[in-house]
PDB file of all heavy atoms in Angstrom:
ATOM      1  N   GLY A   1       4.053  -7.940  21.650  1.00 87.00           N
ATOM      2  CA  GLY A   1       3.419  -8.288  20.406  1.00 87.00           C
ATOM      3  C   GLY A   1       4.410  -8.519  19.302  1.00 87.00           C
ATOM      4  O   GLY A   1       5.612  -8.607  19.527  1.00 87.00           O
ATOM      5  N   GLU A   2       3.909  -8.627  18.126  1.00 90.00           N
ATOM      6  CA  GLU A   2       4.736  -8.919  16.936  1.00 90.00           C
ATOM      7  C   GLU A   2       5.077  -7.681  16.101  1.00 90.00           C
ATOM      8  O   GLU A   2       5.690  -7.811  15.035  1.00 90.00           O
ATOM      9  CB  GLU A   2       4.033  -9.957  16.048  1.00 90.00           C
ATOM     10  CG  GLU A   2       3.864 -11.308  16.750  1.00 90.00           C
ATOM     11  CD  GLU A   2       3.207 -12.368  15.881  1.00 90.00           C
ATOM     12  OE1 GLU A   2       2.569 -12.019  14.852  1.00 90.00           O
ATOM     13  OE2 GLU A   2       3.324 -13.552  16.201  1.00 90.00           O
ATOM     14  N   THR A   3       4.681  -6.481  16.554  1.00 92.00           N
ATOM     15  CA  THR A   3       5.044  -5.274  15.846  1.00 92.00           C
ATOM     16  C   THR A   3       6.238  -4.632  16.532  1.00 92.00           C
ATOM     17  O   THR A   3       6.174  -4.120  17.644  1.00 92.00           O
ATOM     18  CB  THR A   3       3.851  -4.273  15.824  1.00 92.00           C
ATOM     19  OG1 THR A   3       2.733  -4.911  15.205  1.00 92.00           O
ATOM     20  CG2 THR A   3       4.206  -3.032  15.039  1.00 92.00           C
ATOM     21  N   ALA A   4       7.391  -4.670  15.829  1.00 92.00           N
ATOM     22  CA  ALA A   4       8.665  -4.213  16.400  1.00 92.00           C
ATOM     23  C   ALA A   4       8.779  -2.695  16.331  1.00 92.00           C
ATOM     24  O   ALA A   4       9.435  -2.094  17.203  1.00 92.00           O
ATOM     25  CB  ALA A   4       9.838  -4.859  15.689  1.00 92.00           C
ATOM     26  N   GLU A   5       8.205  -2.056  15.336  1.00 95.00           N
ATOM     27  CA  GLU A   5       8.274  -0.648  15.188  1.00 95.00           C
ATOM     28  C   GLU A   5       7.245  -0.172  14.164  1.00 95.00           C
ATOM     29  O   GLU A   5       6.740  -0.985  13.366  1.00 95.00           O
ATOM     30  CB  GLU A   5       9.648  -0.168  14.719  1.00 95.00           C
ATOM     31  CG  GLU A   5      10.025  -0.598  13.312  1.00 95.00           C
ATOM     32  CD  GLU A   5      11.392  -0.098  12.847  1.00 95.00           C
ATOM     33  OE1 GLU A   5      11.698   1.072  13.080  1.00 95.00           O
ATOM     34  OE2 GLU A   5      12.108  -0.921  12.289  1.00 95.00           O
ATOM     35  N   SER A   6       6.904   1.105  14.220  1.00 97.00           N
ATOM     36  CA  SER A   6       6.002   1.695  13.224  1.00 97.00           C
ATOM     37  C   SER A   6       6.641   2.979  12.755  1.00 97.00           C
ATOM     38  O   SER A   6       7.279   3.691  13.531  1.00 97.00           O
ATOM     39  CB  SER A   6       4.649   2.005  13.854  1.00 97.00           C
ATOM     40  OG  SER A   6       4.042   0.808  14.303  1.00 97.00           O
ATOM     41  N   ILE A   7       6.504   3.244  11.462  1.00 97.00           N
ATOM     42  CA  ILE A   7       7.122   4.455  10.877  1.00 97.00           C
ATOM     43  C   ILE A   7       6.189   5.042   9.807  1.00 97.00           C
ATOM     44  O   ILE A   7       5.428   4.324   9.170  1.00 97.00           O
ATOM     45  CB  ILE A   7       8.498   4.206  10.259  1.00 97.00           C
ATOM     46  CG1 ILE A   7       8.390   3.180   9.144  1.00 97.00           C
ATOM     47  CG2 ILE A   7       9.518   3.754  11.319  1.00 97.00           C
ATOM     48  CD1 ILE A   7       9.692   3.025   8.311  1.00 97.00           C
ATOM     49  N   TRP A   8       6.310   6.351   9.639  1.00 98.00           N
ATOM     50  CA  TRP A   8       5.686   7.022   8.523  1.00 98.00           C
ATOM     51  C   TRP A   8       6.638   6.913   7.304  1.00 98.00           C
ATOM     52  O   TRP A   8       7.774   7.348   7.416  1.00 98.00           O
ATOM     53  CB  TRP A   8       5.403   8.493   8.846  1.00 98.00           C
ATOM     54  CG  TRP A   8       4.281   8.676   9.812  1.00 98.00           C
ATOM     55  CD1 TRP A   8       4.379   8.832  11.154  1.00 98.00           C
ATOM     56  CD2 TRP A   8       2.886   8.677   9.506  1.00 98.00           C
ATOM     57  NE1 TRP A   8       3.133   8.960  11.712  1.00 98.00           N
ATOM     58  CE2 TRP A   8       2.206   8.853  10.725  1.00 98.00           C
ATOM     59  CE3 TRP A   8       2.145   8.537   8.335  1.00 98.00           C
ATOM     60  CZ2 TRP A   8       0.840   8.915  10.797  1.00 98.00           C
ATOM     61  CZ3 TRP A   8       0.778   8.606   8.405  1.00 98.00           C
ATOM     62  CH2 TRP A   8       0.121   8.807   9.615  1.00 98.00           C
ATOM     63  N   THR A   9       6.198   6.298   6.243  1.00 98.00           N
ATOM     64  CA  THR A   9       7.033   6.017   5.095  1.00 98.00           C
ATOM     65  C   THR A   9       6.486   6.757   3.871  1.00 98.00           C
ATOM     66  O   THR A   9       5.290   6.686   3.581  1.00 98.00           O
ATOM     67  CB  THR A   9       6.978   4.511   4.762  1.00 98.00           C
ATOM     68  OG1 THR A   9       7.406   3.793   5.929  1.00 98.00           O
ATOM     69  CG2 THR A   9       7.893   4.141   3.617  1.00 98.00           C
ATOM     70  N   PRO A  10       7.380   7.464   3.151  1.00 98.00           N
ATOM     71  CA  PRO A  10       6.902   8.096   1.898  1.00 98.00           C
ATOM     72  C   PRO A  10       6.296   7.024   0.976  1.00 98.00           C
ATOM     73  O   PRO A  10       6.861   5.946   0.800  1.00 98.00           O
ATOM     74  CB  PRO A  10       8.159   8.694   1.282  1.00 98.00           C
ATOM     75  CG  PRO A  10       9.079   8.908   2.466  1.00 98.00           C
ATOM     76  CD  PRO A  10       8.793   7.757   3.373  1.00 98.00           C
ATOM     77  N   ILE A  11       5.123   7.338   0.446  1.00 97.00           N
ATOM     78  CA  ILE A  11       4.463   6.352  -0.429  1.00 97.00           C
ATOM     79  C   ILE A  11       5.346   5.945  -1.595  1.00 97.00           C
ATOM     80  O   ILE A  11       5.346   4.785  -1.979  1.00 97.00           O
ATOM     81  CB  ILE A  11       3.075   6.906  -0.872  1.00 97.00           C
ATOM     82  CG1 ILE A  11       2.150   6.998   0.333  1.00 97.00           C
ATOM     83  CG2 ILE A  11       2.477   5.997  -1.957  1.00 97.00           C
ATOM     84  CD1 ILE A  11       0.829   7.713   0.056  1.00 97.00           C
ATOM     85  N   ALA A  12       6.146   6.867  -2.089  1.00 96.00           N
ATOM     86  CA  ALA A  12       7.038   6.557  -3.209  1.00 96.00           C
ATOM     87  C   ALA A  12       8.087   5.516  -2.811  1.00 96.00           C
ATOM     88  O   ALA A  12       8.635   4.822  -3.706  1.00 96.00           O
ATOM     89  CB  ALA A  12       7.743   7.827  -3.683  1.00 96.00           C
ATOM     90  N   ASP A  13       8.400   5.326  -1.534  1.00 97.00           N
ATOM     91  CA  ASP A  13       9.391   4.352  -1.112  1.00 97.00           C
ATOM     92  C   ASP A  13       8.861   2.995  -0.814  1.00 97.00           C
ATOM     93  O   ASP A  13       9.616   2.036  -0.606  1.00 97.00           O
ATOM     94  CB  ASP A  13      10.117   4.889   0.166  1.00 97.00           C
ATOM     95  CG  ASP A  13      10.939   6.143  -0.095  1.00 97.00           C
ATOM     96  OD1 ASP A  13      11.168   6.493  -1.270  1.00 97.00           O
ATOM     97  OD2 ASP A  13      11.338   6.786   0.896  1.00 97.00           O
ATOM     98  N   VAL A  14       7.541   2.850  -0.758  1.00 97.00           N
ATOM     99  CA  VAL A  14       6.912   1.580  -0.379  1.00 97.00           C
ATOM    100  C   VAL A  14       7.294   0.443  -1.309  1.00 97.00           C
ATOM    101  O   VAL A  14       7.545  -0.674  -0.859  1.00 97.00           O
ATOM    102  CB  VAL A  14       5.357   1.749  -0.286  1.00 97.00           C
ATOM    103  CG1 VAL A  14       4.677   0.389  -0.170  1.00 97.00           C
ATOM    104  CG2 VAL A  14       5.007   2.631   0.876  1.00 97.00           C
ATOM    105  N   ALA A  15       7.400   0.701  -2.608  1.00 96.00           N
ATOM    106  CA  ALA A  15       7.703  -0.366  -3.588  1.00 96.00           C
ATOM    107  C   ALA A  15       9.047  -1.039  -3.324  1.00 96.00           C
ATOM    108  O   ALA A  15       9.209  -2.165  -3.732  1.00 96.00           O
ATOM    109  CB  ALA A  15       7.667   0.220  -4.986  1.00 96.00           C
ATOM    110  N   ARG A  16       9.951  -0.360  -2.644  1.00 97.00           N
ATOM    111  CA  ARG A  16      11.268  -0.952  -2.363  1.00 97.00           C
ATOM    112  C   ARG A  16      11.283  -1.797  -1.082  1.00 97.00           C
ATOM    113  O   ARG A  16      12.300  -2.423  -0.786  1.00 97.00           O
ATOM    114  CB  ARG A  16      12.312   0.156  -2.269  1.00 97.00           C
ATOM    115  CG  ARG A  16      12.567   0.873  -3.588  1.00 97.00           C
ATOM    116  CD  ARG A  16      13.756   1.796  -3.505  1.00 97.00           C
ATOM    117  NE  ARG A  16      13.555   2.909  -2.643  1.00 97.00           N
ATOM    118  CZ  ARG A  16      13.102   4.111  -3.045  1.00 97.00           C
ATOM    119  NH1 ARG A  16      12.800   4.309  -4.303  1.00 97.00           N
ATOM    120  NH2 ARG A  16      12.977   5.077  -2.176  1.00 97.00           N
ATOM    121  N   LEU A  17      10.231  -1.801  -0.349  1.00 97.00           N
ATOM    122  CA  LEU A  17      10.187  -2.501   0.955  1.00 97.00           C
ATOM    123  C   LEU A  17       9.738  -3.966   0.800  1.00 97.00           C
ATOM    124  O   LEU A  17       8.941  -4.282  -0.069  1.00 97.00           O
ATOM    125  CB  LEU A  17       9.246  -1.795   1.899  1.00 97.00           C
ATOM    126  CG  LEU A  17       9.538  -0.355   2.286  1.00 97.00           C
ATOM    127  CD1 LEU A  17       8.418   0.189   3.143  1.00 97.00           C
ATOM    128  CD2 LEU A  17      10.876  -0.283   2.987  1.00 97.00           C
ATOM    129  N   ARG A  18      10.231  -4.805   1.686  1.00 96.00           N
ATOM    130  CA  ARG A  18       9.688  -6.160   1.831  1.00 96.00           C
ATOM    131  C   ARG A  18       8.427  -5.974   2.594  1.00 96.00           C
ATOM    132  O   ARG A  18       8.426  -5.571   3.777  1.00 96.00           O
ATOM    133  CB  ARG A  18      10.668  -7.024   2.580  1.00 96.00           C
ATOM    134  CG  ARG A  18      10.167  -8.465   2.772  1.00 96.00           C
ATOM    135  CD  ARG A  18      11.231  -9.285   3.484  1.00 96.00           C
ATOM    136  NE  ARG A  18      10.721 -10.596   3.779  1.00 96.00           N
ATOM    137  CZ  ARG A  18      10.662 -11.614   2.876  1.00 96.00           C
ATOM    138  NH1 ARG A  18      11.184 -11.433   1.702  1.00 96.00           N
ATOM    139  NH2 ARG A  18      10.172 -12.788   3.228  1.00 96.00           N
ATOM    140  N   ARG A  19       7.290  -6.229   1.941  1.00 97.00           N
ATOM    141  CA  ARG A  19       6.002  -5.877   2.577  1.00 97.00           C
ATOM    142  C   ARG A  19       4.950  -6.941   2.310  1.00 97.00           C
ATOM    143  O   ARG A  19       5.038  -7.739   1.374  1.00 97.00           O
ATOM    144  CB  ARG A  19       5.519  -4.560   2.004  1.00 97.00           C
ATOM    145  CG  ARG A  19       5.218  -4.587   0.518  1.00 97.00           C
ATOM    146  CD  ARG A  19       5.150  -3.212  -0.120  1.00 97.00           C
ATOM    147  NE  ARG A  19       4.811  -3.301  -1.531  1.00 97.00           N
ATOM    148  CZ  ARG A  19       5.664  -3.620  -2.498  1.00 97.00           C
ATOM    149  NH1 ARG A  19       6.910  -3.910  -2.218  1.00 97.00           N
ATOM    150  NH2 ARG A  19       5.246  -3.646  -3.746  1.00 97.00           N
ATOM    151  N   SER A  20       3.920  -6.862   3.141  1.00 93.00           N
ATOM    152  CA  SER A  20       2.761  -7.702   2.969  1.00 93.00           C
ATOM    153  C   SER A  20       1.933  -7.174   1.776  1.00 93.00           C
ATOM    154  O   SER A  20       1.943  -5.975   1.510  1.00 93.00           O
ATOM    155  CB  SER A  20       1.922  -7.647   4.248  1.00 93.00           C
ATOM    156  OG  SER A  20       0.631  -8.133   4.038  1.00 93.00           O
ATOM    157  N   ALA A  21       1.201  -8.067   1.102  1.00 93.00           N
ATOM    158  CA  ALA A  21       0.292  -7.654   0.058  1.00 93.00           C
ATOM    159  C   ALA A  21      -0.747  -6.681   0.581  1.00 93.00           C
ATOM    160  O   ALA A  21      -1.324  -5.890  -0.167  1.00 93.00           O
ATOM    161  CB  ALA A  21      -0.357  -8.883  -0.565  1.00 93.00           C
ATOM    162  N   LEU A  22      -0.999  -6.699   1.864  1.00 96.00           N
ATOM    163  CA  LEU A  22      -1.983  -5.800   2.471  1.00 96.00           C
ATOM    164  C   LEU A  22      -1.663  -4.356   2.229  1.00 96.00           C
ATOM    165  O   LEU A  22      -2.543  -3.499   2.070  1.00 96.00           O
ATOM    166  CB  LEU A  22      -2.081  -6.033   4.009  1.00 96.00           C
ATOM    167  CG  LEU A  22      -2.549  -7.420   4.443  1.00 96.00           C
ATOM    168  CD1 LEU A  22      -2.394  -7.568   5.937  1.00 96.00           C
ATOM    169  CD2 LEU A  22      -3.988  -7.646   4.011  1.00 96.00           C
ATOM    170  N   VAL A  23      -0.386  -4.007   2.213  1.00 98.00           N
ATOM    171  CA  VAL A  23       0.049  -2.642   1.984  1.00 98.00           C
ATOM    172  C   VAL A  23      -0.414  -2.166   0.588  1.00 98.00           C
ATOM    173  O   VAL A  23      -1.001  -1.108   0.428  1.00 98.00           O
ATOM    174  CB  VAL A  23       1.558  -2.464   2.143  1.00 98.00           C
ATOM    175  CG1 VAL A  23       2.017  -1.045   1.775  1.00 98.00           C
ATOM    176  CG2 VAL A  23       1.998  -2.847   3.547  1.00 98.00           C
ATOM    177  N   ASP A  24      -0.149  -3.009  -0.418  1.00 97.00           N
ATOM    178  CA  ASP A  24      -0.525  -2.649  -1.793  1.00 97.00           C
ATOM    179  C   ASP A  24      -2.035  -2.582  -1.967  1.00 97.00           C
ATOM    180  O   ASP A  24      -2.572  -1.705  -2.639  1.00 97.00           O
ATOM    181  CB  ASP A  24       0.068  -3.619  -2.779  1.00 97.00           C
ATOM    182  CG  ASP A  24       1.578  -3.604  -2.777  1.00 97.00           C
ATOM    183  OD1 ASP A  24       2.165  -2.549  -2.468  1.00 97.00           O
ATOM    184  OD2 ASP A  24       2.211  -4.609  -3.107  1.00 97.00           O
ATOM    185  N   ILE A  25      -2.738  -3.501  -1.309  1.00 96.00           N
ATOM    186  CA  ILE A  25      -4.202  -3.510  -1.402  1.00 96.00           C
ATOM    187  C   ILE A  25      -4.751  -2.232  -0.750  1.00 96.00           C
ATOM    188  O   ILE A  25      -5.601  -1.515  -1.327  1.00 96.00           O
ATOM    189  CB  ILE A  25      -4.789  -4.769  -0.738  1.00 96.00           C
ATOM    190  CG1 ILE A  25      -4.371  -6.012  -1.513  1.00 96.00           C
ATOM    191  CG2 ILE A  25      -6.310  -4.667  -0.597  1.00 96.00           C
ATOM    192  CD1 ILE A  25      -4.567  -7.311  -0.783  1.00 96.00           C
ATOM    193  N   GLY A  26      -4.269  -1.908   0.460  1.00 97.00           N
ATOM    194  CA  GLY A  26      -4.760  -0.708   1.136  1.00 97.00           C
ATOM    195  C   GLY A  26      -4.476   0.569   0.369  1.00 97.00           C
ATOM    196  O   GLY A  26      -5.342   1.432   0.262  1.00 97.00           O
ATOM    197  N   LEU A  27      -3.271   0.681  -0.171  1.00 97.00           N
ATOM    198  CA  LEU A  27      -2.946   1.887  -0.976  1.00 97.00           C
ATOM    199  C   LEU A  27      -3.755   1.970  -2.233  1.00 97.00           C
ATOM    200  O   LEU A  27      -4.185   3.053  -2.657  1.00 97.00           O
ATOM    201  CB  LEU A  27      -1.444   1.940  -1.280  1.00 97.00           C
ATOM    202  CG  LEU A  27      -0.536   2.211  -0.080  1.00 97.00           C
ATOM    203  CD1 LEU A  27       0.933   2.113  -0.464  1.00 97.00           C
ATOM    204  CD2 LEU A  27      -0.833   3.591   0.525  1.00 97.00           C
ATOM    205  N   ALA A  28      -4.012   0.840  -2.912  1.00 95.00           N
ATOM    206  CA  ALA A  28      -4.857   0.822  -4.090  1.00 95.00           C
ATOM    207  C   ALA A  28      -6.274   1.269  -3.740  1.00 95.00           C
ATOM    208  O   ALA A  28      -6.879   2.048  -4.484  1.00 95.00           O
ATOM    209  CB  ALA A  28      -4.871  -0.542  -4.722  1.00 95.00           C
ATOM    210  N   LEU A  29      -6.819   0.799  -2.635  1.00 95.00           N
ATOM    211  CA  LEU A  29      -8.152   1.178  -2.229  1.00 95.00           C
ATOM    212  C   LEU A  29      -8.251   2.638  -1.828  1.00 95.00           C
ATOM    213  O   LEU A  29      -9.328   3.253  -1.938  1.00 95.00           O
ATOM    214  CB  LEU A  29      -8.642   0.269  -1.085  1.00 95.00           C
ATOM    215  CG  LEU A  29      -8.923  -1.165  -1.453  1.00 95.00           C
ATOM    216  CD1 LEU A  29      -9.126  -1.984  -0.170  1.00 95.00           C
ATOM    217  CD2 LEU A  29     -10.140  -1.283  -2.355  1.00 95.00           C
ATOM    218  N   ALA A  30      -7.149   3.220  -1.366  1.00 96.00           N
ATOM    219  CA  ALA A  30      -7.125   4.612  -0.904  1.00 96.00           C
ATOM    220  C   ALA A  30      -7.044   5.604  -2.050  1.00 96.00           C
ATOM    221  O   ALA A  30      -7.287   6.793  -1.849  1.00 96.00           O
ATOM    222  CB  ALA A  30      -5.993   4.823   0.092  1.00 96.00           C
ATOM    223  N   ARG A  31      -6.636   5.139  -3.232  1.00 90.00           N
ATOM    224  CA  ARG A  31      -6.545   6.036  -4.386  1.00 90.00           C
ATOM    225  C   ARG A  31      -7.917   6.565  -4.787  1.00 90.00           C
ATOM    226  O   ARG A  31      -8.916   5.833  -4.634  1.00 90.00           O
ATOM    227  CB  ARG A  31      -5.941   5.312  -5.593  1.00 90.00           C
ATOM    228  CG  ARG A  31      -4.427   5.247  -5.552  1.00 90.00           C
ATOM    229  CD  ARG A  31      -3.919   4.618  -6.783  1.00 90.00           C
ATOM    230  NE  ARG A  31      -3.990   3.193  -6.522  1.00 90.00           N
ATOM    231  CZ  ARG A  31      -3.424   2.231  -7.196  1.00 90.00           C
ATOM    232  NH1 ARG A  31      -2.783   2.494  -8.286  1.00 90.00           N
ATOM    233  NH2 ARG A  31      -3.512   0.995  -6.850  1.00 90.00           N
ATOM    234  N   PRO A  32      -7.975   7.774  -5.318  1.00 79.00           N
ATOM    235  CA  PRO A  32      -9.249   8.268  -5.800  1.00 79.00           C
ATOM    236  C   PRO A  32      -9.801   7.320  -6.874  1.00 79.00           C
ATOM    237  O   PRO A  32      -9.045   6.810  -7.696  1.00 79.00           O
ATOM    238  CB  PRO A  32      -8.927   9.647  -6.399  1.00 79.00           C
ATOM    239  CG  PRO A  32      -7.625  10.023  -5.741  1.00 79.00           C
ATOM    240  CD  PRO A  32      -6.891   8.762  -5.470  1.00 79.00           C
ATOM    241  N   LEU A  33     -11.078   7.069  -6.820  1.00 66.00           N
ATOM    242  CA  LEU A  33     -11.701   6.173  -7.766  1.00 66.00           C
ATOM    243  C   LEU A  33     -11.880   6.837  -9.125  1.00 66.00           C
ATOM    244  O   LEU A  33     -12.183   8.014  -9.192  1.00 66.00           O
ATOM    245  CB  LEU A  33     -13.064   5.724  -7.276  1.00 66.00           C
ATOM    246  CG  LEU A  33     -13.104   4.838  -6.042  1.00 66.00           C
ATOM    247  CD1 LEU A  33     -14.530   4.573  -5.627  1.00 66.00           C
ATOM    248  CD2 LEU A  33     -12.387   3.524  -6.327  1.00 66.00           C
ATOM    249  N   PRO A  34     -11.709   6.102 -10.197  1.00 64.00           N
ATOM    250  CA  PRO A  34     -11.997   6.651 -11.517  1.00 64.00           C
ATOM    251  C   PRO A  34     -13.508   6.836 -11.654  1.00 64.00           C
ATOM    252  O   PRO A  34     -14.285   6.359 -10.804  1.00 64.00           O
ATOM    253  CB  PRO A  34     -11.477   5.547 -12.471  1.00 64.00           C
ATOM    254  CG  PRO A  34     -11.397   4.306 -11.650  1.00 64.00           C
ATOM    255  CD  PRO A  34     -11.192   4.751 -10.235  1.00 64.00           C
ATOM    256  N   ALA A  35     -13.915   7.482 -12.709  1.00 64.00           N
ATOM    257  CA  ALA A  35     -15.343   7.787 -12.888  1.00 64.00           C
ATOM    258  C   ALA A  35     -16.216   6.502 -12.846  1.00 64.00           C
ATOM    259  O   ALA A  35     -17.388   6.584 -12.453  1.00 64.00           O
ATOM    260  CB  ALA A  35     -15.542   8.523 -14.193  1.00 64.00           C
ATOM    261  N   THR A  36     -15.690   5.382 -13.248  1.00 69.00           N
ATOM    262  CA  THR A  36     -16.495   4.151 -13.250  1.00 69.00           C
ATOM    263  C   THR A  36     -16.663   3.573 -11.856  1.00 69.00           C
ATOM    264  O   THR A  36     -17.483   2.685 -11.631  1.00 69.00           O
ATOM    265  CB  THR A  36     -15.831   3.074 -14.126  1.00 69.00           C
ATOM    266  OG1 THR A  36     -14.547   2.743 -13.557  1.00 69.00           O
ATOM    267  CG2 THR A  36     -15.647   3.544 -15.553  1.00 69.00           C
ATOM    268  N   GLY A  37     -15.811   4.005 -10.877  1.00 63.00           N
ATOM    269  CA  GLY A  37     -15.833   3.424  -9.555  1.00 63.00           C
ATOM    270  C   GLY A  37     -15.102   2.096  -9.459  1.00 63.00           C
ATOM    271  O   GLY A  37     -15.052   1.458  -8.426  1.00 63.00           O
ATOM    272  N   HIS A  38     -14.505   1.647 -10.538  1.00 67.00           N
ATOM    273  CA  HIS A  38     -13.826   0.347 -10.602  1.00 67.00           C
ATOM    274  C   HIS A  38     -12.334   0.521 -10.326  1.00 67.00           C
ATOM    275  O   HIS A  38     -11.680   1.374 -10.900  1.00 67.00           O
ATOM    276  CB  HIS A  38     -14.008  -0.286 -11.983  1.00 67.00           C
ATOM    277  CG  HIS A  38     -13.329  -1.629 -12.072  1.00 67.00           C
ATOM    278  ND1 HIS A  38     -12.089  -1.728 -12.641  1.00 67.00           N
ATOM    279  CD2 HIS A  38     -13.685  -2.862 -11.691  1.00 67.00           C
ATOM    280  CE1 HIS A  38     -11.718  -3.019 -12.610  1.00 67.00           C
ATOM    281  NE2 HIS A  38     -12.695  -3.699 -12.028  1.00 67.00           N
ATOM    282  N   VAL A  39     -11.830  -0.283  -9.415  1.00 64.00           N
ATOM    283  CA  VAL A  39     -10.389  -0.310  -9.145  1.00 64.00           C
ATOM    284  C   VAL A  39      -9.845  -1.599  -9.685  1.00 64.00           C
ATOM    285  O   VAL A  39     -10.367  -2.691  -9.400  1.00 64.00           O
ATOM    286  CB  VAL A  39     -10.095  -0.210  -7.621  1.00 64.00           C
ATOM    287  CG1 VAL A  39      -8.620  -0.360  -7.327  1.00 64.00           C
ATOM    288  CG2 VAL A  39     -10.634   1.093  -7.064  1.00 64.00           C
ATOM    289  N   ALA A  40      -8.797  -1.509 -10.493  1.00 69.00           N
ATOM    290  CA  ALA A  40      -8.193  -2.717 -11.085  1.00 69.00           C
ATOM    291  C   ALA A  40      -7.673  -3.642  -9.968  1.00 69.00           C
ATOM    292  O   ALA A  40      -7.222  -3.196  -8.926  1.00 69.00           O
ATOM    293  CB  ALA A  40      -7.074  -2.338 -12.028  1.00 69.00           C
ATOM    294  N   PRO A  41      -7.733  -4.968 -10.188  1.00 70.00           N
ATOM    295  CA  PRO A  41      -7.181  -5.920  -9.188  1.00 70.00           C
ATOM    296  C   PRO A  41      -5.723  -5.618  -8.874  1.00 70.00           C
ATOM    297  O   PRO A  41      -4.960  -5.211  -9.735  1.00 70.00           O
ATOM    298  CB  PRO A  41      -7.352  -7.270  -9.853  1.00 70.00           C
ATOM    299  CG  PRO A  41      -8.379  -7.086 -10.895  1.00 70.00           C
ATOM    300  CD  PRO A  41      -8.236  -5.636 -11.353  1.00 70.00           C
ATOM    301  N   VAL A  42      -5.331  -5.894  -7.628  1.00 68.00           N
ATOM    302  CA  VAL A  42      -3.964  -5.722  -7.205  1.00 68.00           C
ATOM    303  C   VAL A  42      -3.229  -7.053  -7.315  1.00 68.00           C
ATOM    304  O   VAL A  42      -3.657  -8.055  -6.746  1.00 68.00           O
ATOM    305  CB  VAL A  42      -3.936  -5.243  -5.708  1.00 68.00           C
ATOM    306  CG1 VAL A  42      -2.513  -5.179  -5.235  1.00 68.00           C
ATOM    307  CG2 VAL A  42      -4.650  -3.902  -5.592  1.00 68.00           C
ATOM    308  N   PRO A  43      -2.165  -7.129  -8.138  1.00 66.00           N
ATOM    309  CA  PRO A  43      -1.451  -8.376  -8.250  1.00 66.00           C
ATOM    310  C   PRO A  43      -0.720  -8.689  -6.931  1.00 66.00           C
ATOM    311  O   PRO A  43      -0.233  -7.796  -6.251  1.00 66.00           O
ATOM    312  CB  PRO A  43      -0.427  -8.096  -9.365  1.00 66.00           C
ATOM    313  CG  PRO A  43      -0.276  -6.607  -9.386  1.00 66.00           C
ATOM    314  CD  PRO A  43      -1.570  -6.037  -8.879  1.00 66.00           C
TER     315      PRO A  43
END
């Protein structure tokens, strides 16, 4: 397949990685929701 390796990465280190937008979207969706239930769009 096209997955060469998988690793557990500290969330704090993710911003320094060359990554798919999917990572940022998934992490944004996983954050606890504010009282309004609205999550700001992910750039």
Side-chain angles (χ1 to χ4, degrees):
E2 295 182 343
T3 302
E5 67 179 315
S6 299
I7 60 170
W8 287 97
T9 304
I11 293 172
D13 294 347
V14 169
R16 293 190 292 268
L17 299 175
R18 179 178 175 83
R19 65 197 182 281
S20 165
L22 297 172
V23 175
D24 295 333
I25 294 164
L27 288 175
L29 289 169
R31 278 184 274 195
L33 293 176
T36 64
H38 179 263
V39 176
V42 176

